[in-house]
Structures are given as C-alpha cells and as structure tokens.
C-alpha cells in the first residue's frame, strides 16, 4: 500500500510539472491563436521562429550571452572550488558558507545588488554588454562551485600526491590529474550556468542595453500587446528549449553511467 501511494504521488507530481509543458508543445504544432482553441497541424510557428529577424537575433544574442557568461563562470567557479578544497579546514568552511548565500538569496536581491555595484559604484556603461555578462557570470559562479566540490571529494587525492612525488609541477598535476577526475562536475556546472543565464530575468532587466533583449525579457514584453504571430512563435521557442535541455541532461546521464561502468570494470 505504501509503495502504491508513493508511486501515485510521484505520478501526480510529474503530471503537474510536465503537463503544462506538453500542452504548450502540442499547441506549438497547430495554427491556433490562443490556448484552448484547437487548430490544425502546422509548422508555421517554427518557421516564423527562425525566419523573423527580430526573433532570430534575440535567440542568437541570448545563447551567445549564455555560453559566454557560462565559460567565465565555469572558470571562476572551478578555480574557487579547487582552491577551497585544498585550503585549511576553517577557510574551506567559510568559503562554503559564503558560496551558499547567493544560492538561497532571492534573484531580485542579487540582481539589484549587482546592478548597483557595477553601474553605480564601478560606473560601467549599460550601453555595453560588460555589466550584463558580469552579472550573469556572478549569478552562475556559486552553482558551478557546488557542482565541482562533490567531484573533488570523490576523486582519489593520492593520485595527485603521487604525481607531485614523481616530479610533476603543481600546475601540471592540476591539469593532468585533478581536472580530468572532476570533468563531469565541470561540465555539469557549465550546463547549469547556461540554464541560469537563459532563465534569468532580473539581472538582464537591470543591466541589458536598451536595444537588446534576452528570451526572458522578450517573453515578458511579448505578453504586453505583441502580435499574435510573435506570441505563438514563442510557444515553439519554449518547446525547442525544453527539448534541448532534455537532450543535454540525457547525454550527461549516459556519460555518467558509462564512466561509472568503466570504473567498475577497471576495478
């Protein structure tokens, strides 16, 4: 009975999580103008998504911003995690605590604080993309840190020490021994950083140039009187992003299983 109840509860949770997304995906393949109106099968929304210059430029700009800020966040977060892992106990504990604060803090507080620091204190111009990239990188660094730290704890640290004993320099041992062992955590942190940048609204709103829109800011503005064709094309955009995320997670899980099976066979 308990097993049946737990499975039933799991099914209910999954329905509430994924049913709205599936409905959006279904409507993206129709010519309906509004939700609740059943239309005929059509690919016009997907054609419009990649043909309309306004939408195409917005999508390309958003993904370039996401990947660029994710690269910066991954480098900083990985360096911070490695540095904290090899620090003294009290220093490591303090860094872990400080890193958790941005994770649990509200996005609006983080975004507004970063905006004040970069725009008001450092006098950065909003006409450039520097404040926006810095803001998204700062948002993502703590999550990269949290993705890398568990892999550092799981790795065989004796291999790193053995490399030093064999004459390898610290930076050589870092790149040849440590980073390959924590590669999965780095990749997970990078994917998380890309997702956070795509999803962010507050930092983008505060720091983006006036002529630039990310997907999140564009979607919010599209609900305030945009053309019907633009709104329905955003259904297709949401479906494409969801499919890409599912594929990325599936590939990562397959790699984890493959590496785990390889380690078991080697052992």
């Amino acid at each position: 009975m308990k097993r049946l109840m737990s499975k039933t509860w799991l099914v209910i949770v999954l329905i509430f999580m994924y049913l709205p997304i599936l409905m959006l995906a279904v409507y993206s393949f129709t010519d309906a103008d509004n939700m609740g109106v059943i239309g005929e099968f059509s690919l016009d929304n997907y054609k419009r998504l990649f043909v309309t210059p306004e939408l195409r430029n917005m999508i390309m700009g958003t993904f370039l911003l996401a990947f660029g800020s994710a690269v910066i966040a991954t480098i900083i977060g990985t360096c911070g995690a490695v540095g904290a892992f090899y620090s003294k106990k009290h220093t490591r504990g303090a860094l872990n605590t400080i890193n958790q604060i941005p994770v649990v803090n509200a996005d609006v507080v983080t975004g507004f604080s970063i905006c004040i620091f970069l725009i008001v204190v450092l006098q950065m111009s909003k006409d450039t993309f520097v404040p926006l990239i810095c803001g998204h990188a700062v948002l993502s660094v703590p999550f990269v840190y949290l993705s890398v730290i568990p892999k550092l704890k799981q790795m065989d640290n004796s291999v790193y020490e053995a490399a030093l004993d064999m004459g390898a320099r610290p930076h050589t041992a870092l790149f040849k021994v440590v980073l390959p062992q924590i590669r999965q955590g780095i990749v997970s942190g990078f994917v998380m950083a890309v997702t956070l940048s795509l999803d962010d609204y507050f930092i983008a709103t505060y720091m983006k140039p006036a002529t630039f829109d990310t997907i999140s800011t564009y979607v919010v503005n599209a609900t305030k009187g945009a053309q019907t064709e633009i709104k329905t094309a955003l259904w297709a955009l949401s479906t494409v992003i969801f499919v890409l995320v599912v594929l990325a997670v599936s590939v990562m899980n397959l790699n984890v299983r493959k590496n785990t099976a390889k380690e078991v066979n080697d052992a």
Side-chain angles (χ1 to χ4, degrees):
M1 187 65 182
K2 291 183 179 179
R3 183 179 299 179
L4 178 61
M5 291 295 295
S6 62
K7 291 184 178 180
T8 303
W9 177 250
L10 177 61
V11 170
I12 293 174
V13 171
L14 291 176
I15 289 175
F16 272 95
M17 288 179 59
Y18 291 105
L19 183 59
I21 301 176
L22 294 177
M23 290 181 59
L24 189 67
V26 170
Y27 275 97
S28 69
F29 288 100
T30 67
D31 59 358
D33 294 335
N34 295 293
M35 290 289 185
V37 178
I38 300 177
E40 297 180 355
F41 177 82
S42 175
L43 294 175
D44 289 342
N45 290 328
Y46 290 89
K47 294 178 182 178
R48 194 177 300 115
L49 184 63
F50 297 102
V51 170
T52 307
E54 179 183 0
L55 293 174
R56 187 173 62 246
N57 294 336
M58 178 267 296
I59 295 171
M60 291 179 60
T62 302
F63 276 93
L64 287 175
L65 170 65
F67 281 99
S69 62
V71 170
I72 298 173
T74 302
I75 294 174
I76 297 175
T78 302
C79 292
V82 173
F85 181 76
Y86 287 104
S87 298
K88 295 181 180 179
K89 182 178 179 180
H90 295 292
T91 303
R92 182 168 61 251
L95 291 174
N96 289 336
T97 302
I98 293 173
N99 183 79
Q100 291 175 6
I101 295 176
V103 175
V104 300
N105 197 18
D107 288 347
V108 62
V109 177
T110 302
F112 193 58
S113 302
I114 297 173
C115 177
I116 292 176
F117 180 73
L118 295 179
I119 305 298
V120 179
V121 178
L122 298 184
Q123 302 272 319
M124 288 187 178
S125 174
K126 288 183 63 177
D127 295 332
T128 66
F129 289 94
V130 175
L132 183 57
I133 295 175
C134 291
H136 277 199
V138 170
L139 175 69
S140 303
V141 164
F143 295 90
V144 177
Y145 181 98
L146 291 176
S147 297
V148 175
I149 280 292
K151 293 301 178 181
L152 286 167
K153 294 180 180 179
Q154 294 173 7
M155 75 175 187
D156 187 0
N157 198 43
S158 61
V159 179
Y160 172 75
E161 296 174 355
L164 296 179
D165 293 338
M166 295 293 292
R169 295 182 178 181
H171 69 274
T172 303
L174 173 65
F175 285 97
K176 296 291 186 179
V177 177
V178 176
L179 293 185
Q181 292 189 80
I182 63 174
R183 182 177 61 251
Q184 294 178 3
I186 296 174
V187 174
S188 299
F190 176 79
V191 174
M192 179 68 73
V194 171
T195 305
L196 287 171
S197 178
L198 293 175
D199 184 61
D200 172 70
Y201 173 75
F202 294 105
I203 293 178
T205 300
Y206 294 145
M207 300 187 187
K208 72 179 184 67
T211 57
F212 178 77
D213 265 315
T214 63
I215 292 175
S216 58
T217 59
Y218 190 91
V219 169
V220 172
N221 295 330
T223 61
K224 302 176 182 179
Q227 300 177 358
T228 302
E229 292 80 5
I230 298 296
K231 291 182 179 179
T232 55
L234 294 178
W235 299 350
L237 176 60
S238 300
T239 304
V240 170
I241 293 176
F242 176 73
V243 172
L244 291 176
V245 170
V246 171
L247 290 176
V249 172
S250 300
V251 171
M252 290 175 58
N253 289 335
L254 288 175
N255 288 332
V256 170
R257 293 180 181 178
K258 185 183 297 184
N259 293 331
T260 302
K262 183 179 180 181
E263 292 176 358
V264 172
N265 293 330
D266 293 340

